[in-house]
Amino acid sequence: MTLPTLTDMMSTDTVAAIATPPGTAGLAVLRLSGSRSIEIASAVFTGADLRAVHSHTVHYGKVRDSHGEVLDEVLVSVFRAPQSYTGEDSVEISCHGGTLLARSVLQALLDAGARHAEAGEFTRRAFMNGRMDLTQAEAVADLIHAQSQQARRASLRQLEGSLSEYIGAIREQLLHIASMLELSLDFVEEDVAFLSNEELHAVISDAMVRIRSALESYGSGRLLRDGIRVVLLGCPNVGKSSLLNALLGADRAIVTDVPGTTRDFIEEALLLRGVLFRMVDTAGLRDTGDTVELHGIARTHAMLREADVVCLLSEAAGGEDMLETACTLAELGKDDARLIPLFTKSDLVPAAERDRLRGIGLPVSVLESGGLDLLRERLFEVARSLHDTTEAGSVLVTNARHADCLRLSLAALQRADDALQGGATEEFVSVEVRDATTVLGEIIGEVTSDDVLNGIFSRFCIGK
Amino acid sequence: MTLPTLTDMMSTDTVAAIATPPGTAGLAVLRLSGSRSIEIASAVFTGADLRAVHSHTVHYGKVRDSHGEVLDEVLVSVFRAPQSYTGEDSVEISCHGGTLLARSVLQALLDAGARHAEAGEFTRRAFMNGRMDLTQAEAVADLIHAQSQQARRASLRQLEGSLSEYIGAIREQLLHIASMLELSLDFVEEDVAFLSNEELHAVISDAMVRIRSALESYGSGRLLRDGIRVVLLGCPNVGKSSLLNALLGADRAIVTDVPGTTRDFIEEALLLRGVLFRMVDTAGLRDTGDTVELHGIARTHAMLREADVVCLLSEAAGGEDMLETACTLAELGKDDARLIPLFTKSDLVPAAERDRLRGIGLPVSVLESGGLDLLRERLFEVARSLHDTTEAGSVLVTNARHADCLRLSLAALQRADDALQGGATEEFVSVEVRDATTVLGEIIGEVTSDDVLNGIFSRFCIGK
């Protein structure tokens, strides 16, 4: 692992960026951060003397370009170190909306000596200046990208430090026994043991239990963050696109009565009571000429493997072939609990037939709301199982990087415990425990490398 | 004209809106304005007691929904009446970016008693509270929508009050003579004249000269604001789309070698040194079967009438028919100064032929930059003639509403002057002068109706 090069990362220059989305709106906000923020803002601003004002105050005035031409009337907020988002002197400039204006003001700031900020640089500076740890910095990006209330809630809890606390506590405990083990090494000649093997084993086991618990939350956490993937599967013209549209309440997919209209696959976000579902309309099962052949379509298979829920569609009027298809799916190894058989166009069959179909699956019709409501309810039931894990107090891992680190720490602790049971020296056990603390430290950013940081902050948008 | 119903328009409720564009970015900003702003913000905010803080200060804290759940960590700025954009108590909430988050915070504000703001309502309140006049309010919308530096500059000058001052000065002068005329009426029995006919005529003439000067600027002003409309005209496959793409530097138009690819017309913005051009690629001149027939195509004719510049394209290799087409254009009444004959695909003809063509027009090739650069220069020359009007000090009318009012006031003054010359009574002259002051008052909003205001503010986005 590359050692952290803090000095490389802690740029001493002052950065600027537009922090609001492009587009026409009432306001656009630009940010400056770094030791020269207030000086650079003063250079372009006519109004109050920003160098003399208090932190956390707002000032009306005009921004001028390097030729002295007024660009806009603005409000400028001044934040003095360390009481700012980044922990550095910072300035926010709120100008009239519109991309051209905001860009002009940004150019004026660059002309006055600011550097255009890299993606995530403001948050990276906040991390480097100790304003937040790495899980909190990652939560900022998750919060911004949150597509459901559940995802927002999970990110906010992480931003508030819940994961850091959980991991930090385990790490402290392990650092303590590592120190004890290393201390024993200094006194090895005297044969003094600071901790008994039983005590060591108890601490390591306890840490492993807690790490496993965190890891187990990752399955739900990932779904919360990225959404529950629902694949709609069925023969051409069975009504997948129509169903998708009915659920979405908008004409997103192109619906026609020509089989094979859906060329590739369409993924749409569906929010049900704050839970995000990703509805995937498959390419249909017809690529091999005009015959329906489940086994032949690699893409659909790949999608099934990634699916959290599969809705298997067949027409209510021709319901028998459903059973056959369901068998084929079972061969594909799908979990039945996550399979929802749907009988489409149920308005076309008599009530008695619909009752019969209800024994096997769910009759739905885009012309009637009853079946659609039941389908929404079924989808929501799948999500309900995730609810517990978002309760306050329990840990929730949503990030693949965190899960990877947890797995590595678990493996190191397992080796430590094995070594302990096998009568290995304190030195060997200590090395494994140290390894575990190092990877746990990577989660919260106490131990980290430029590569890891670059990977994390490149996910951010510019201006954050 | 409907009388202004100020009380109707001055809503007493407190409004809220998201003021930044939708989309994923570092920040989103919400605005509250109205007497209950600080109370409503306090209801959702945990941090400082906003009711106790000074105006123009920023406070870190958390926003909660009506169930007490934390939605986001935010910065809240407080602005106390009358020192705010709207002139009312106002609050700005800066939350993490992302549409979902901003909407959640907005919902919390609505739940706490705010009403969702109408389009332009913040600026309308600023106008109603005397924070700006109507030309300044209109300039806010123009500034946000500005697509070129020139347009931004013109809007900003209007926002700073240049047009209001110009119109206001004329109006004051006319109000003065109207008062004098009305005073004379009170003393009509005594046959006292407060102003001689010569004096009256001089003032009215002076006002008319200044109104005409403002009206004359409208031609340029409109072009500055909306862009200079350049129509590319020529036979199918002559290379209009390719030329457009080369000028834009991007593949916006679909270019193929099949004549008639451009189905309708494509309008693209082109910025040359801060000047906005609207490049219009016509449908080609082929609707009437396969024969080229200029007179037959109504849409192209309509576009020609609206064109500020016409680029007439023909192939360099077949340059002679250009002259014929140019004659046809002349019949259509186009100004030669605004006609730029272009010989496309000039790389296909020998240098000697290119030299000959330069006597008639501009040889261009998308494969060579020389001709394109000359074309850009020619377009910029057209724009240069507008430059003077954007000099500080001179008036610039960019708005059709203002131009209409100016025309009406001019007509009223003309009638007043005619009456004066024809020996009409002071009463008659006075009515016409009053009429002129009324329409001038409409420009700056001293006299206005709900219909006018609704028309103006419906152009705004929500949150401004």
Side-chain angles (χ1 to χ4, degrees):
Chain A
M1 193 180 65
T2 318
L3 281 171
T5 53
L6 295 190
T7 44
D8 292 359
M9 292 181 291
M10 284 286 289
S11 312
T12 53
D13 47 1
T14 292
V15 291
I18 301 170
T20 46
T24 301
L27 297 179
V29 179
L30 293 100
R31 274 182 156 175
L32 272 168
S33 186
S35 56
R36 291 183 61 220
S37 295
I38 295 170
E39 175 195 334
I40 290 171
S42 299
V44 305
F45 181 76
T46 324
D49 180 359
L50 301 179
R51 285 159 298 201
V53 303
H54 287 110
S55 184
H56 289 66
T57 55
V58 189
H59 306 275
Y60 169 83
K62 292 177 181 181
V63 165
R64 292 173 192 274
D65 69 12
S66 54
H67 306 101
E69 186 190 328
V70 176
L71 295 175
D72 197 9
E73 301 182 351
V74 300
L75 286 177
V76 171
S77 304
V78 172
F79 304 92
R80 294 189 183 276
Q83 297 299 317
S84 73
Y85 180 76
T86 55
E88 307 169 330
D89 278 355
S90 298
V91 173
E92 284 185 13
I93 301 177
S94 173
C95 65
H96 284 98
T99 308
L100 182 102
L101 258 187
R103 283 202 195 133
S104 304
V105 175
L106 176 62
Q107 190 57 53
L109 295 174
L110 301 181
D111 290 345
R115 171 170 66 71
H116 196 188
E118 305 286 328
E121 186 162 1
F122 293 93
T123 306
R124 187 167 182 159
R125 284 171 175 234
F127 166 67
M128 297 313 300
N129 291 321
R131 296 288 288 171
M132 52 177 76
D133 70 28
L134 207 48
T135 67
Q136 292 174 310
E138 287 170 300
V140 169
D142 287 346
L143 196 56
I144 290 172
H145 291 101
Q147 289 189 275
S148 70
Q149 293 296 348
Q150 281 204 337
R152 180 194 58 69
R153 211 169 280 141
S155 308
L156 193 65
R157 277 185 52 211
Q158 188 172 317
L159 179 60
E160 291 176 330
S162 63
L163 183 63
S164 315
E165 276 173 35
Y166 189 91
I167 301 294
I170 303 172
R171 189 162 173 264
E172 282 306 310
Q173 209 173 14
L174 293 174
L175 282 172
H176 175 69
I177 62 166
S179 305
M180 288 295 136
L181 284 165
E182 284 149 21
L183 204 55
S184 318
L185 291 176
D186 293 342
F187 294 88
V188 69
E189 313 247 313
E190 285 106 274
D191 200 19
V192 179
F194 289 82
L195 283 173
S196 70
N197 275 13
E198 288 68 35
E199 284 172 311
L200 279 171
H201 173 69
V203 172
I204 291 173
S205 296
D206 178 60
M208 287 173 75
V209 166
R210 289 195 279 165
I211 291 169
R212 268 197 209 98
S213 166
L215 256 177
E216 275 160 16
S217 77
Y218 176 56
S220 319
R222 182 186 62 77
L223 293 183
L224 275 187
R225 196 177 76 158
D226 301 334
I228 297 166
R229 204 172 165 88
V230 181
V231 169
L232 305 179
L233 193 68
C235 302
N237 217 18
V238 73
K240 293 185 298 297
S241 298
S242 302
L243 181 68
L244 184 58
N245 287 347
L247 286 171
L248 290 169
D251 290 334
R252 169 60 183 84
I254 301 153
V255 185
T256 71
D257 55 1
V258 182
T261 298
T262 307
R263 295 273 189 95
D264 211 313
F265 65 91
I266 291 172
E267 188 176 310
E268 274 293 349
L270 173 69
L271 277 173
L272 291 181
R273 303 183 218 168
V275 183
L276 179 66
F277 293 86
R278 301 207 158 274
M279 309 301 290
V280 184
D281 180 9
T282 59
L285 305 170
R286 80 182 272 281
D287 283 9
T288 55
D290 286 318
T291 40
V292 177
E293 195 185 344
L294 264 174
H295 293 282
I297 303 162
R299 287 198 82 147
T300 304
H301 283 201
M303 267 191 294
L304 285 179
R305 277 192 299 276
E306 289 171 19
D308 300 307
V309 178
V310 174
C311 288
L312 184 60
L313 286 75
S314 56
E315 291 192 34
E320 294 307 331
D321 49 328
M322 166 62 94
L323 293 170
E324 196 189 329
T325 325
C327 292
T328 317
L329 265 186
E331 286 171 33
L332 288 170
K334 291 313 295 178
D335 181 355
D336 273 1
R338 298 245 166 134
L339 179 67
I340 306 177
L342 296 177
F343 297 98
T344 59
K345 308 176 190 176
S346 66
D347 54 296
L348 298 179
V349 299
E353 174 66 4
R354 262 185 273 179
D355 287 342
R356 198 181 73 84
L357 292 172
R358 266 187 208 104
I360 325 170
L362 196 60
V364 291
S365 161
V366 296
L367 303 176
E368 293 161 6
S369 62
L372 291 173
D373 286 345
L374 283 172
L375 175 56
R376 288 195 187 93
E377 192 56 45
R378 283 286 293 274
L379 290 174
F380 192 66
E381 271 168 30
V382 175
R384 197 170 291 158
S385 61
L386 308 175
H387 262 196
D388 298 342
T389 56
T390 62
E391 294 301 312
S394 65
V395 69
L396 182 67
V397 175
T398 60
N399 187 305
R401 187 183 76 81
H402 301 167
D404 286 343
C405 289
L406 288 171
R407 276 186 214 103
L408 289 173
S409 68
L410 200 59
L413 290 179
Q414 187 63 59
R415 287 194 303 274
D417 201 40
D418 290 350
L420 199 63
Q421 307 297 333
T425 64
E426 277 128 342
E427 191 168 6
F428 191 83
V429 178
S430 143
V431 164
E432 297 293 0
V433 173
R434 279 276 170 209
D435 261 10
T437 64
T438 301
V439 283
L440 290 177
E442 276 185 43
I443 295 179
I444 46 186
E446 296 209 2
V447 184
T448 192
S449 72
D450 264 359
D451 284 350
V452 169
L453 292 182
N454 290 340
I456 289 169
F457 290 103
S458 64
R459 276 187 62 219
F460 279 66
C461 37
I462 287 178
K464 188 70 221 176
Chain B
M1 194 181 65
T2 319
L3 282 171
T5 55
L6 294 191
T7 44
D8 293 356
M9 291 182 290
M10 284 286 288
S11 314
T12 52
D13 47 0
T14 292
V15 291
I18 301 170
T20 46
T24 302
L27 296 180
V29 178
L30 293 99
R31 274 182 157 175
L32 272 168
S33 186
S35 57
R36 292 185 60 220
S37 295
I38 295 170
E39 175 195 335
I40 290 171
S42 299
V44 304
F45 180 74
T46 324
D49 179 0
L50 301 179
R51 283 159 299 201
V53 304
H54 286 111
S55 184
H56 289 67
T57 55
V58 189
H59 307 275
Y60 169 83
K62 291 176 182 181
V63 165
R64 292 174 192 272
D65 68 12
S66 53
H67 307 101
E69 185 189 328
V70 176
L71 295 175
D72 197 9
E73 300 182 351
V74 301
L75 286 178
V76 171
S77 305
V78 173
F79 304 92
R80 294 189 184 276
Q83 295 301 316
S84 73
Y85 180 75
T86 56
E88 307 169 330
D89 278 356
S90 299
V91 173
E92 284 185 12
I93 301 177
S94 173
C95 64
H96 284 98
T99 308
L100 182 101
L101 258 188
R103 284 202 195 134
S104 304
V105 175
L106 177 61
Q107 191 56 53
L109 295 174
L110 302 181
D111 290 345
R115 170 170 67 71
H116 197 188
E118 306 285 327
E121 186 162 359
F122 293 93
T123 307
R124 188 168 181 158
R125 285 171 175 234
F127 166 66
M128 297 313 301
N129 291 320
R131 296 289 288 171
M132 53 177 74
D133 69 29
L134 207 48
T135 67
Q136 291 173 311
E138 288 170 301
V140 168
D142 288 347
L143 196 56
I144 289 172
H145 292 100
Q147 291 188 275
S148 70
Q149 293 296 347
Q150 280 204 337
R152 180 193 59 67
R153 212 169 281 142
S155 308
L156 193 65
R157 277 184 51 211
Q158 188 172 319
L159 180 60
E160 291 176 330
S162 62
L163 182 63
S164 316
E165 275 172 36
Y166 190 91
I167 301 294
I170 302 171
R171 190 162 173 265
E172 282 305 310
Q173 208 173 15
L174 293 175
L175 281 172
H176 176 71
I177 61 167
S179 306
M180 288 294 135
L181 284 165
E182 285 149 21
L183 203 56
S184 319
L185 291 176
D186 294 341
F187 295 87
V188 69
E189 313 248 312
E190 284 106 275
D191 200 22
V192 179
F194 289 82
L195 285 172
S196 70
N197 275 12
E198 288 67 33
E199 283 170 311
L200 279 172
H201 173 70
V203 172
I204 291 173
S205 298
D206 177 59
M208 288 174 75
V209 165
R210 288 195 279 163
I211 291 169
R212 268 197 209 96
S213 165
L215 256 178
E216 276 160 16
S217 78
Y218 175 57
S220 319
R222 183 185 61 78
L223 293 183
L224 275 187
R225 196 178 77 157
D226 301 335
I228 298 166
R229 205 171 165 89
V230 181
V231 169
L232 304 179
L233 194 68
C235 302
N237 218 18
V238 73
K240 294 185 298 295
S241 298
S242 302
L243 181 68
L244 183 58
N245 286 347
L247 286 171
L248 289 169
D251 290 333
R252 169 61 184 82
I254 301 154
V255 186
T256 71
D257 55 1
V258 182
T261 300
T262 307
R263 295 272 189 95
D264 209 313
F265 66 90
I266 292 172
E267 189 176 308
E268 275 291 351
L270 173 70
L271 277 173
L272 290 181
R273 302 182 216 168
V275 182
L276 179 66
F277 293 85
R278 302 208 158 273
M279 308 300 289
V280 184
D281 180 8
T282 59
L285 306 169
R286 79 184 271 282
D287 283 9
T288 56
D290 287 317
T291 40
V292 177
E293 195 185 343
L294 265 173
H295 294 280
I297 304 162
R299 286 198 83 148
T300 304
H301 282 201
M303 267 190 295
L304 285 178
R305 276 191 300 274
E306 288 170 19
D308 301 306
V309 178
V310 175
C311 288
L312 184 59
L313 285 76
S314 55
E315 291 191 34
E320 293 307 330
D321 48 329
M322 166 62 94
L323 294 170
E324 196 187 330
T325 325
C327 293
T328 317
L329 264 187
E331 287 172 32
L332 288 169
K334 292 311 299 177
D335 181 355
D336 272 2
R338 297 242 165 139
L339 178 67
I340 307 178
L342 296 177
F343 298 98
T344 58
K345 308 175 190 176
S346 65
D347 55 297
L348 298 178
V349 299
E353 174 66 4
R354 263 185 272 180
D355 287 343
R356 198 180 72 85
L357 291 172
R358 263 186 210 105
I360 323 169
L362 197 59
V364 291
S365 160
V366 296
L367 303 176
E368 295 161 3
S369 62
L372 290 172
D373 287 344
L374 283 172
L375 174 56
R376 288 195 187 91
E377 191 57 46
R378 282 288 292 275
L379 289 174
F380 192 67
E381 272 169 29
V382 175
R384 197 169 291 160
S385 61
L386 308 175
H387 261 198
D388 298 343
T389 57
T390 62
E391 294 300 313
S394 64
V395 69
L396 182 67
V397 175
T398 61
N399 186 306
R401 187 182 77 82
H402 302 167
D404 286 343
C405 289
L406 289 170
R407 278 186 213 103
L408 289 173
S409 69
L410 200 59
L413 290 179
Q414 188 62 60
R415 287 194 303 273
D417 201 39
D418 290 349
L420 198 64
Q421 307 297 332
T425 64
E426 277 129 341
E427 191 167 5
F428 190 84
V429 177
S430 143
V431 164
E432 297 292 0
V433 173
R434 280 278 170 206
D435 262 8
T437 64
T438 302
V439 282
L440 290 177
E442 276 184 42
I443 296 179
I444 46 186
E446 297 209 2
V447 183
T448 191
S449 71
D450 262 0
D451 284 350
V452 169
L453 292 182
N454 291 339
I456 288 168
F457 290 104
S458 64
R459 276 186 63 219
F460 278 65
C461 37
I462 288 178
K464 189 70 223 177

